[in-house]
Amino acid sequence: MISGVLLDLAGVVYDGEDVIPGAIDAVARLRGAGLLIRFVSNTTRSNKPALLTRLLRIGLHTTSDELFTPAQAARQWLVEHDRSPYLLVHPDLEPDFHGLAGGSKKALVVGDAGEAFDYQTLNAAFRELLEGAEFLGLAPNRTFQDVDGKLSLDAGAFIAALEYASQRRATILGKPSPEFFLSALAGMNCPKAKAVVVGDDAESDVAGALRAGLSKAVLVRTGKYRGGDETRFKPAPTVTVDDISAAADWILAARNIQ
Amino acid sequence: MISGVLLDLAGVVYDGEDVIPGAIDAVARLRGAGLLIRFVSNTTRSNKPALLTRLLRIGLHTTSDELFTPAQAARQWLVEHDRSPYLLVHPDLEPDFHGLAGGSKKALVVGDAGEAFDYQTLNAAFRELLEGAEFLGLAPNRTFQDVDGKLSLDAGAFIAALEYASQRRATILGKPSPEFFLSALAGMNCPKAKAVVVGDDAESDVAGALRAGLSKAVLVRTGKYRGGDETRFKPAPTVTVDDISAAADWILAARNIQ
């Protein structure tokens, strides 16, 4: 029995500025069947209000409660550990960290800073690590599908650079951290045995969710999906389908069978 | 019997702009005893003529033949493999790759680009990897001691970023690659059983050279040496001495004994 669905956004619901055909209808059908939904995105270039506005623009009406982001998970971590953030993130993400400067010690927070990544900012962040700052990574994604349709470097590459130089490991707050999936499920009161994830990233979305204990994972052949991804990472997806519309079909059929 | 000596430069012969006391005399004594010498440096921010000028400025007269650099190893590799270089290196290093554009396919060459590292240049290099370029790293160093006395990010961090994103491994051309040490020895017609290295880096210089099959390795307590380094990496140095002057004493004594 499936009662909760975690939906990735980029590459599943939208591609760049365009909605993926059938996505709005697929979400409506899942909701109409009484399933609980959370949008779980590792995108760290936009703050939460901007992300909600973007979804509205493509015709997806949702609320802040339905959206769970790595920045939100990082905020929780910083408050719990009494740390001030030293941000190496996209300027547009900074509002998600407002009002957190009171911590007695620092934590470096690395997101997809995009064009803001340069030698000076990376080296300054590295020196914060040398001086004892905690090390948080919002998302370990290797790549994302850029506006020109090609893959570009994502936050994970820069986290890897800082890990290599400092010989320390970052605490990852977003997918595929088990805590991220479990926090999203906790917020919707859905046990992991009754949850399914839908994503275009066989490693971060699919293998990550299954490793966290989710019951099922659907890989879609949109977004960053490349042929053969379904066998490239373990655990493998429960099923691989063409797009979110086919994923909704599969989920709605599967929930009645099992 | 020792017939060839590989000498590291930074931290062994000079520190920043200053010659290490006794270094010029030590080199003269090794040469005077008929030993063959190669200077082997992982520095990739200066081209070879600039490095020779720098050595001349501290009073060390040497020739291009006596200096072996990762860029030179990369040139050899590119010619042997018929590849054109796609350079992600410091602008000052570019002259070392002039005249190599004829290869039928490309190879990405990553050095310590310093301030030239930014998102656009790294992403463009990443896309070359995706399109099938070979992947060469000049030196895997994590950090270097910067002009302000603090550690800064070295080329290894950016190689690690590209390795992580591309899920490929770079071929390392500089130390501690065995091929680097063996190429330096080949250029002086010295068998590895008759060669000794002198370095301040117990991992890259000492363990690297011994792993490549060199007979002996002398660790000096100058430059980046920190107490306990002699037991921190395997294989351990043959001997640890105060500086290059003591290293020359040891080599000149050892060559007559064995």
Side-chain angles (χ1 to χ4, degrees), chain B residues 9 11 33 46 51 69 92 136-137 180 205 242:
Chain B
L9 284 174
S46 307
L51 210 47
T69 65
D92 289 350
L136 306 182
F180 181 79
D205 295 327
D242 277 352

Side-chain angles (χ1 to χ4, degrees), chain B residues 189-204:
Chain B
N189 289 315
C190 175
K192 58 191 178 182
K194 292 187 175 181
V196 57
V197 70
V198 180
D200 65 331
D201 187 322
E203 184 179 19
S204 184

Side-chain angles (χ1 to χ4, degrees), chain B residues 120-209:
Chain B
Q120 287 299 344
T121 56
L122 280 164
N123 201 45
F126 168 65
R127 288 179 167 194
E128 291 292 333
L129 292 179
L130 289 189
E131 286 164 21
E134 292 285 337
F135 186 4
L136 306 182
L138 292 182
N141 301 56
R142 301 176 198 274
T143 61
F144 68 98
Q145 182 156 306
D146 214 332
V147 287
D148 62 1
K150 295 184 185 177
L151 296 180
S152 284
L153 294 172
D154 208 334
F158 299 91
I159 294 170
L162 293 168
E163 286 188 331
Y164 179 82
S166 67
Q167 299 186 69
R168 291 174 53 184
R169 300 289 291 175
T171 299
I172 298 296
L173 277 309
K175 297 179 284 186
S177 157
E179 290 75 17
F180 181 79
F181 293 106
L182 300 181
S183 287
L185 293 180
M188 60 206 281
N189 289 315
C190 175
K192 58 191 178 182
K194 292 187 175 181
V196 57
V197 70
V198 180
D200 65 331
D201 187 322
E203 184 179 19
S204 184
D205 295 327
V206 169

